[in-house]
Amino acid sequence: MFRSAAKPIPSKPIPSKPIPSGSYTATAPGGGVAARVFEVLKVYGEGDASVAALDGVSIDFAADAFTAVMGPSGSGKSTLMHCMAALDTVSSGQVFIGGVELAGLGDKQLTKLRRDKIGFVFQAYNLVPTLTAQENIELPLSIAGRKVDRQWFDTVIDTVGLRDRLGHRPNQLSGGQQQRVACARALVARPEVVFADEPTGNLDSAASAEVLAFLRSSVDDHRQTVIMVTHDPVAASYTDRVVFLADGKVVDELRNPTADDVLEEMKVLSARSVAGTAAGH
Amino acid sequence: MFKVTWRNLVARKIRLALSGFAIVLGVAFVAGSFIFTDALGGAFDGIVSGTTADVEILPEGAGQVDTFGTDARTIPASLVAELSQLTEAEMVVGTDQVQGVFVISKEGKLIGGNGPPGLAFNYNEMTAITGERILTLADGELPTTRTEVALDIDTAEKADYDIGDEVTLVTPGDPPTMKAELTGLVRFGSEGGLAGATLTIFDAQVIKDLFFGGKDVYTHVSLTAAEEVSQIQLRDAAQEVVPEGLDVVTGDEFAADQQDAIGEILGFINTFLLVFAAVALVVGTFLIINTFSILVAQRSRELALLRAMGASKKQVNRAVLSEALVVSLVGSTVGLGLGYLLAIGLKALFGVIGLDLGAADMPIQLRTILVSYAVGVIVTLIAAYLPARRASRISPVQAMRDDVALPEASLRWRFIIGAVMVAGGVALMGGGFAGSGGRGLLLIGIGMLAILIGVALMAPVLGRPIIHALGWAYRRLFGTVGNLATMNTLRNPRRTAATSSALMIGLTLVALMSILGQSAKVSTDKAIEESLTAELIVSNATGQFFSTAYGDQIRELDGVASVTTFRQATAKLGESQAYLQAVDPRSLGAALQLPVDSGSLRRFDAQSVLVSSTRAESSSLEVGDSVKLTFPAGPKAFTVAGVYPVGGAIAGDFLLSLEGLERAGIKPEDSLLFISKEPDASEAAVRSQIEDVLVDNPTVTLKNQKEFAEEQRGLINTVLYIIYALLGLAIIIAILGITNTLALSVIERTREVGLLRAVGVSRRQLRTMVRLESIAISVLGAVLGVVMGIAFGIAMQRAIADQGIDVLSIPWLLLGSFVVLAGLVGVLAAVLPARRAARLNVLEAITTE
Ligand SMILES: Nc1ncnc2c1ncn2[C@@H]1O[C@H](COP(=O)(O)OP(=O)(O)O)[C@@H](O)[C@H]1O
Ligand SMILES: [Mg+2]
């Protein structure tokens, strides 16, 4: 069943009531909602060649929670991150960040939103090579002309354990250190939400653990909201909730997962998808 | 391997188009210079052959065109009657040709006059060797009385005269200006027009009365051959009749001689232009090296992959070079086309100073095409060689790495090589100053080039403090964006330096010229102030001679104590040209105080000359020596009475007496009058009387010392502006180079730009960042250029201090404004790259490989 074209536009504050939908809707557990996507459709290309990277996705992301987004390659995880982080626009549907709807915002407002309300950690190439670690961390604040909150800065630095690396340039840092700097940068402006697209994808397990521990503690100790895409069940086990995507749709979710839970769920889902594909033929 | 090359070319067409720009502009300058001088040559050749008959008879040696000063000799008219008896001649015509007859337009402006001659002669129906009539009456009737003239169609149109109008003319005779009715329009035979020359047609008797004292004489006699008679047969037949002292020349020979002589003069113009083309090419070379270095650096991963797959060093090298070859061929072709447009631009530029080519042909000769391609291809291949060699040294292992770095020669070696080049350049310049003539100049030029390249090599190190200073200001003013811009400037010092160096070279020359120009102006001012005693000066701003009648009339005025006349001419001393000034020795003292190094002014008379100190040295002349000067009318010996220092009021190599110059066969025509008034006469009253004498003639004007000095400054400015305009091209190339480097850097940093945008840098901030980087590059170039220009300027001024530029004056304000202007140029150069950076799609930028 599909909803009619008439949009039940939720206005601020985002209602915590789950929004009914034709497909599976992932709902945030209690509390406030930091980010919400509602019936989001993202289509690449046109006509026969068009691909629906997101095919009616509705998710509420709870504030002060660590959420993982998982799914097979090509399932639309990155697309979801980009659409939510104001880096890309949706074909239809709605995206809210901290009560602000992204649709209809111009480039200037989107830029400001990214600067002030969103933190982003990419898989790689997160840092400006000409700037030192400290300058990279302070970048979103300094381009906004905002004062750095020294106390918060110190807290972030100490949490990521970069105090003795602040004067180094990215090429003098290891991959793990670089990702930690990127995380620090994402957090230092106290954004509404931090998005991380496979932040540990290029790291070994020790470095991954450092980054993940840092993200976890930022949620627990500093009430940050973090949404992370990952392939790794171990990484997912650090989170409060895992949302599974497949073919641009939300297919399942787990709460307070262990690595084994996630692995199990992944197996189930992939078996289902193989069966689905077989049945389709 | 060729396939790879081709794919790369197609895949990177934008980047290559950018790198091709430098080649396009350099080649355009070369092609433009050749096309323009060919057009110029063609126009003059057309005039010569269009006015030359089968056989020409003229006073011996009068065919020379590389001297000025009007030949006073003539041919008796009786010769025409004798020649008419010849059965070999179909037509015999005597012509009286006068130079210095100018047309004043309805608005009182001089037509032509800044170089191209104002010609006057009697109408004739002669056929030229081109087979066409030299003149045809296009409209109206021929003049028959003293108050009637005809004009050529172009001149009449420019001056806005119609048949029946009253025309104002300036003449070298008496009266110096006249009014006459325009009775007809004539068409000049040759296609190319008159190259700005104007043509006034008088009645045959009237021209004799006006300019030849009513004597029945001609300046030359022209013959056309009868049917079946060759030029040579006609010449031989005429030779029988013509007396001693006259040359009889076939039309072909005459035209060829004249064209050769003109070609030699035009050769100077071509060389002059090609010097600027060379400057543009050197600047262009920097850009090509830079562009290919960046392109190779950006592709180092791909090149490493090729190596890993088994491509040899040679193949990688060749792949890069073949890309350069294709780019150079395309660039040369476009450059050739642009050169044509540039030639049209040069035509306009030279039109402004009076060399009007009208509808002259702009031929693209095979030679132009060959030279253009040769220059484009060779320069590009040389420029691409270094990056190509560097590319071939990438090791295959690097294909596996994430960030591939090209092997770079260390900055220290670069600095040392640069320093050696500077030292060598200084030595060469020193040698050049010690030497003389063309070889000296060449040495100075090569020396300067070596120094400039040396400094360019050292620029990554020399520029650092400048960038740091700018960076400090940037951070103060623009915070993080300023910091990012500074760091970008510093991240690749070679690239920044190479890009700045292109601008540095252009600005060095501009600064050098401005210092020499300023020094020349101040030196002239000083010379006028120190040696000129006359209060008033009559001169012709266009450099043309004027009628002696003015001096005669002014001498008679109330309150005028003395009038000192100056004349000019050239003669040959041995093989070299000598510039002559002439004055009446008795009135010299009334006009100016001429210091003498040796000898005495008292011995200066009709048989003697004064010689400038530089000429005395170069031709080893001493007081008492005899010097033989060769005029069109033949050689004439003078005794050296004294040596005067250069740099005073007298320019030129020799100072003759008016009488001496007249005896040498030069028609009396004045170039300057220095007027002293009676002590008790009012200057205003004397001025207004003199102005009445000069009425109707817009070019011959009265000035006091200050105004005269200003006029001299104006002449220097004209030369400076032309040089600035030509150097402007090198600067445009440099600006494009900055744009090019920035654009390539933006492409290279696409992902970084995406990242900056993702973390919240606004489009505006991004544009500011690119702009600040651009300003840093251009200001660096400007500062280095101005510093170099000052160094060269001081050296050059010292070296030529004995040739009239004896005061060093540095136009600090102007030089400072060059640096500020360079900043603006930086803003301009950044427009496109900044827009490109700002427009990048954030997501695509982040996800590019
Ligand atoms: N720029 C794009 N143009 C066309 N198709 C795209 C583009 N980006 C992603 N896609 C397609 O959208 C789908 C989802 O991609 P993505 O969100 O990157 O998946 P994931 O991150 O889960 O691996 C894939 O089928 C992919 O091919
Ligand atoms: Mg992805």
Side-chain angles (χ1 to χ4, degrees):
Chain A
M1 178 207 145
F2 290 95
R3 294 189 60 89
S4 67
K7 296 181 190 170
I9 299 177
S11 59
K12 317 175 235 180
I14 303 173
S16 57
K17 208 170 143 272
I19 300 152
S21 153
S23 62
Y24 185 99
T25 302
T27 314
V33 175
R36 153 175 294 172
V37 286
F38 179 66
E39 299 213 326
V40 161
L41 189 72
K42 175 69 186 180
V43 182
Y44 286 113
E46 274 172 29
D48 289 347
S50 69
V51 179
L54 295 176
D55 192 1
V57 174
S58 298
I59 314 175
D60 285 359
F61 292 94
D64 313 338
F66 191 175
T67 311
V69 176
M70 298 191 75
S73 185
S75 57
K77 304 181 299 291
S78 294
T79 307
L80 180 65
M81 289 290 109
H82 295 152
C83 289
M84 289 173 71
L87 291 168
D88 206 350
T89 53
V90 296
S91 305
S92 75
Q94 293 168 296
V95 179
F96 298 88
I97 298 293
V100 179
E101 190 184 351
L102 301 193
L105 297 186
D107 181 77
K108 257 189 198 150
Q109 290 151 306
L110 288 176
T111 303
K112 203 161 150 355
L113 188 87
R114 283 199 301 270
R115 203 177 67 192
D116 300 337
K117 301 218 152 148
I118 293 171
F120 211 114
V121 181
F122 301 100
Q123 185 173 353
Y125 304 105
N126 270 300
L127 306 179
V128 180
T130 48
L131 300 182
T132 62
Q134 174 159 9
E135 286 167 335
N136 264 293
I137 293 170
E138 291 173 352
L139 188 60
L141 289 174
S142 63
I143 51 181
R146 271 163 63 188
K147 265 236 144 35
V148 179
D149 175 347
R150 272 298 140 205
Q151 209 180 337
W152 175 233
F153 180 83
D154 286 338
T155 312
V156 171
I157 295 306
D158 290 333
T159 323
V160 286
L162 285 167
R163 170 101 21 225
D164 54 339
R165 291 276 183 271
L166 288 179
H168 290 54
R169 286 191 206 286
N171 60 4
Q172 299 165 312
L173 299 174
S174 72
Q177 286 168 335
Q178 287 186 24
Q179 285 308 75
R180 281 188 280 152
V181 171
C183 290
R185 182 198 58 214
L187 284 166
V188 79
R190 288 184 182 278
E192 209 86 25
V193 195
V194 171
F195 295 100
D197 191 350
E198 305 191 34
T200 57
N202 281 1
L203 302 181
D204 62 30
S205 56
S208 293
E210 280 171 6
V211 169
L212 289 163
F214 170 59
L215 289 175
R216 183 69 248 174
S217 81
S218 73
V219 173
D220 292 341
D221 305 340
H222 308 297
R223 298 174 50 88
Q224 282 293 320
T225 306
V226 179
I227 303 172
M228 169 180 78
V229 169
T230 182
H231 275 118
D232 176 11
V234 176
S237 71
Y238 281 78
T239 65
D240 302 316
R241 173 191 177 207
V242 183
V243 177
F244 290 92
L245 288 188
D247 294 333
K249 294 191 174 72
V250 178
V251 289
D252 204 353
E253 68 167 287
L254 287 176
R255 292 187 194 252
N256 301 321
T258 62
D260 289 339
D261 294 345
V262 176
L263 203 58
E264 197 58 34
E265 181 66 24
M266 284 168 77
K267 276 183 194 151
V268 172
L269 287 177
S270 92
R272 206 195 287 169
S273 124
V274 171
T277 318
H281 282 282
Chain B
M1 225 37 207
F2 180 73
K3 213 165 172 187
V4 175
T5 302
W6 182 247
R7 288 264 169 77
N8 279 327
L9 284 169
V10 177
R12 288 160 217 276
K13 48 189 178 303
I14 298 174
R15 301 178 204 195
L16 286 168
L18 286 169
S19 72
F21 254 142
I23 306 163
V24 167
L25 288 178
V27 169
F29 212 139
V30 172
S33 305
F34 277 108
I35 295 172
F36 174 69
T37 33
D38 285 345
L40 211 56
F44 283 110
D45 286 357
I47 296 173
V48 169
S49 48
T51 50
T52 304
D54 289 337
V55 165
E56 296 283 344
I57 298 168
L58 55 171
E60 207 172 338
Q64 288 176 21
V65 266
D66 56 346
T67 55
F68 68 89
T70 312
D71 198 339
R73 294 168 303 157
T74 50
I75 303 170
S78 57
L79 185 65
V80 173
E82 283 175 55
L83 288 165
S84 299
Q85 307 295 320
L86 295 174
T87 50
E88 289 88 345
E90 184 179 288
M91 196 193 288
V92 180
V93 164
T95 303
D96 280 312
Q97 181 177 314
V98 182
Q99 292 213 17
V101 176
F102 290 100
V103 178
I104 306 298
S105 78
K106 262 203 181 126
E107 286 94 44
K109 290 224 170 65
L110 181 85
I111 304 300
N114 258 325
L119 299 176
F121 38 85
N122 48 319
Y123 186 76
N124 63 56
E125 301 196 333
M126 210 64 193
T127 303
I129 49 176
T130 53
E132 290 185 71
R133 286 266 296 274
I134 294 172
L135 291 171
T136 43
L137 183 65
D139 199 2
E141 283 163 29
L142 292 172
T144 50
T145 70
R146 209 184 157 109
T147 55
E148 289 176 348
V149 290
L151 294 176
D152 72 277
I153 293 180
D154 288 343
T155 303
E157 194 180 315
K158 270 185 233 157
D160 199 17
Y161 284 129
D162 294 320
I163 290 174
D165 285 351
E166 184 178 70
V167 174
T168 308
L169 297 170
V170 172
T171 79
D174 194 6
T177 60
M178 61 181 282
K179 293 192 190 288
E181 187 195 332
L182 183 65
T183 59
L185 299 177
V186 296
R187 189 188 309 278
F188 177 68
S190 100
E191 288 284 317
L194 283 159
T198 58
L199 214 61
T200 308
I201 302 296
F202 287 96
D203 171 67
Q205 188 54 48
V206 171
I207 202 167
K208 289 190 175 89
D209 292 343
L210 283 172
F211 302 107
F212 297 90
K215 282 181 274 183
D216 201 8
V217 292
Y218 292 116
T219 53
H220 60 108
V221 175
S222 315
L223 292 79
T224 49
E227 299 256 327
E228 307 283 310
V229 176
S230 72
Q231 287 187 5
I232 292 169
Q233 288 166 330
L234 179 61
R235 180 197 62 193
D236 292 346
Q239 197 88 62
E240 300 288 310
V241 185
V242 172
E244 286 271 305
L246 296 179
D247 282 340
V248 183
V249 203
T250 64
D252 288 345
E253 210 181 313
F254 181 79
D257 282 354
Q258 298 255 315
Q259 286 165 356
D260 281 354
I262 292 170
E264 212 168 287
I265 297 168
L266 295 182
F268 285 121
I269 297 183
N270 199 12
T271 308
F272 176 75
L273 290 175
L274 285 178
V275 165
F276 291 95
V279 171
L281 278 170
V282 169
V283 173
T285 306
F286 271 82
L287 292 190
I288 298 167
I289 294 178
N290 210 22
T291 309
F292 271 88
S293 298
I294 299 173
L295 288 179
V296 165
Q298 289 179 357
R299 285 169 45 198
S300 41
R301 194 197 183 83
E302 174 196 322
L303 293 169
L305 201 64
L306 283 177
R307 291 277 284 125
M309 291 183 318
S312 69
K313 280 187 178 195
K314 216 181 203 170
Q315 280 173 314
V316 170
N317 195 334
R318 221 179 284 150
V320 174
L321 283 181
S322 15
E323 257 182 69
L325 182 68
V326 177
V327 171
S328 72
L329 287 173
V330 176
S332 304
T333 309
V334 179
L336 199 56
L338 192 68
Y340 188 79
L341 297 180
L342 192 72
I344 295 175
L346 283 170
K347 198 169 109 173
L349 181 68
F350 277 73
V352 170
I353 56 164
L355 199 67
D356 183 0
L357 286 183
D361 259 358
M362 303 278 259
I364 302 182
Q365 293 183 6
L366 185 64
R367 180 257 285 123
T368 309
I369 296 174
L370 292 179
V371 170
S372 297
Y373 277 102
V375 163
V377 170
I378 292 170
V379 166
T380 312
L381 288 185
I382 292 174
Y385 176 75
L386 287 175
R389 208 175 61 137
R390 204 125 56 81
S392 70
R393 280 203 248 134
I394 295 173
S395 70
V397 192
Q398 290 187 290
M400 316 305 157
R401 294 228 191 108
D402 227 5
D403 46 341
V404 182
L406 277 174
E408 301 249 25
S410 82
L411 278 180
R412 188 151 60 98
W413 269 111
R414 243 177 115 102
F415 191 86
I416 293 170
I417 295 171
V420 169
M421 286 196 78
V422 169
V426 170
L428 279 172
M429 273 182 83
F433 287 138
S436 64
R439 259 208 36 219
L441 276 178
L442 193 68
L443 279 181
I444 293 171
I446 294 173
M448 272 193 191
L449 186 66
I451 294 174
L452 283 173
I453 293 174
V455 170
L457 285 173
M458 295 195 288
V461 177
L462 294 179
R464 225 179 268 157
I466 300 170
I467 297 282
H468 279 296
L470 270 175
W472 181 83
Y474 277 1
R475 267 184 283 261
R476 277 286 143 112
L477 294 169
F478 300 94
T480 304
V481 175
N483 187 31
L484 282 168
T486 312
M487 298 320 273
N488 283 340
T489 317
L490 287 170
R491 83 203 292 180
N492 199 330
R494 283 178 193 78
R495 188 184 297 182
T496 301
T499 313
S500 311
S501 298
L503 190 61
M504 172 191 82
I505 294 176
L507 266 182
T508 300
L509 298 177
V510 168
L512 165 65
M513 289 321 300
S514 71
I515 291 170
L516 289 183
Q518 179 71 14
S519 299
K521 285 182 217 169
V522 173
S523 303
T524 316
D525 282 358
K526 183 181 141 235
I528 290 172
E529 194 181 316
E530 282 179 359
S531 53
L532 203 60
T533 47
E535 291 94 0
L536 296 170
I537 301 102
V538 168
S539 68
N540 186 336
T542 66
Q544 304 279 356
F545 302 149
F546 51 87
S547 164
T548 56
Y550 286 134
D552 296 341
Q553 289 174 35
I554 292 168
R555 223 166 256 122
E556 303 303 317
L557 297 176
D558 287 342
V560 170
S562 76
V563 174
T564 308
T565 302
F566 271 83
R567 293 180 189 153
Q568 288 175 9
T570 57
K572 289 241 155 117
L573 174 60
E575 280 304 298
S576 69
Q577 281 271 21
Y579 292 88
L580 317 179
Q581 298 251 29
V583 66
D584 178 5
R586 278 158 304 176
S587 64
L588 175 60
L592 40 90
Q593 286 168 333
L594 183 65
V596 275
D597 290 346
S598 61
S600 158
L601 284 178
R602 255 170 290 135
R603 272 187 268 158
F604 177 34
D605 58 21
Q607 278 77 40
S608 61
V609 292
L610 299 174
V611 58
S612 77
S613 52
T614 38
R615 191 69 194 212
E617 197 182 321
S618 67
S619 298
S620 329
L621 293 171
E622 277 176 38
V623 175
D625 286 356
S626 173
V627 55
K628 194 170 82 178
L629 297 171
T630 308
F631 296 86
K636 196 98 185 140
F638 297 91
T639 317
V640 174
V643 177
Y644 59 88
V646 182
I650 306 282
D653 302 313
F654 293 96
L655 184 63
L656 277 69
S657 61
L658 295 182
E659 205 185 331
L661 193 65
E662 269 176 65
R663 281 197 203 156
I666 300 297
K667 211 167 177 177
E669 287 163 0
D670 295 346
S671 61
L672 272 176
L673 301 176
F674 290 113
I675 300 154
S676 308
K677 65 177 183 60
E678 305 276 9
D680 52 352
S682 106
E683 186 175 322
V686 173
R687 270 194 93 131
S688 82
Q689 287 184 77
I690 297 175
E691 258 146 27
D692 284 344
V693 171
L694 302 178
V695 76
D696 279 344
N697 191 334
T699 58
V700 177
T701 49
L702 178 67
K703 290 133 212 128
N704 59 24
Q705 287 197 5
K706 213 172 125 232
E707 292 159 340
F708 182 59
E710 249 153 50
E711 185 179 88
Q712 301 296 309
R713 285 165 167 268
L715 295 177
I716 296 169
N717 277 338
T718 308
V719 176
L720 275 183
Y721 293 152
I722 290 174
I723 292 177
Y724 287 163
L726 292 171
L727 285 175
L729 224 93
I731 291 181
I732 289 173
I733 295 181
I735 296 173
L736 281 173
I738 298 173
T739 302
N740 200 356
T741 302
L742 285 174
L744 289 169
S745 297
V746 166
I747 293 173
E748 192 177 53
R749 298 175 201 153
T750 297
R751 183 149 39 191
E752 190 181 321
V753 169
L755 173 66
L756 287 169
R757 292 277 286 132
V759 300
V761 170
S762 69
R763 289 200 162 131
R764 215 185 130 123
Q765 287 174 317
L766 208 55
R767 278 197 296 265
T768 306
M769 184 185 87
V770 176
R771 208 176 289 137
L772 289 177
E773 186 177 348
S774 176
I775 293 173
I777 295 175
S778 31
V779 168
L780 172 63
V783 170
L784 289 177
V786 165
V787 170
M788 298 294 296
I790 292 174
F792 285 159
I794 293 173
M796 287 289 269
Q797 188 273 332
R798 288 284 131 82
I800 56 173
D802 60 349
Q803 293 181 27
I805 304 182
D806 53 349
V807 184
L808 173 70
S809 174
I810 298 175
W812 293 109
L813 203 68
L814 187 67
L815 295 179
S817 66
F818 287 156
V819 177
V820 175
L821 230 81
L824 292 180
V825 159
V827 173
L828 215 69
V831 169
L832 289 177
R835 189 182 301 172
R836 198 195 152 100
R839 286 218 181 137
L840 279 176
N841 178 300
V842 182
L843 200 54
E844 282 170 19
I846 300 174
T847 48
T848 47
E849 268 304 310

